[in-house]
């Protein structure tokens, strides 16, 4: 139920078109260098911190990724951009950096 919260709120607000609440490209099992790693950067401040940690602060400034709706509309592009950075290090290294943050 907790994970469905954003979808329920979006529907209550009348945001029913595809892409407005369906895809969450900041809650994915991303590919790192050696294996997949689950990341859930659902809130804006978490997404900004994720972009900073992976060395891609420009993602947080990109208008395509400025809101949940625009992230969903450009989900494949965002996932590819994040995975490009994560592919540079093993998952355990990323996990350590995320926990420290």
């Amino acid at each position: 139920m907790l994970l469905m919260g954003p979808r329920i709120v979006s529907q209550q607000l009348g945001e029913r078109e595809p892409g407005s609440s369906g895809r969450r490209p900041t809650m994915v099992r991303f590919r790192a260098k050696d294996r997949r790693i689950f990341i859930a950067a659902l809130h804006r401040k978490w997404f900004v911190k994720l972009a900073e940690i992976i060395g891609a602060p420009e993602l947080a400034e990109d208008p395509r990724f400025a809101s949940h709706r625009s992230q969903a509309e450009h989900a494949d592009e965002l996932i590819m951009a994040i995975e490009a950075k994560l592919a540079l290090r093993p998952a355990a290294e990323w996990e350590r950096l995320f926990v420290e943050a």
Side-chain angles (χ1 to χ4, degrees), residues 61-82:
E61 303 300 322
D62 191 317
R64 296 173 299 166
F65 313 133
S67 70
H68 293 297
R69 178 177 293 192
S70 61
Q71 288 176 351
E73 290 170 354
H74 301 279
D76 292 333
E77 296 164 71
L78 180 54
I79 291 168
M80 286 175 46
I82 293 171

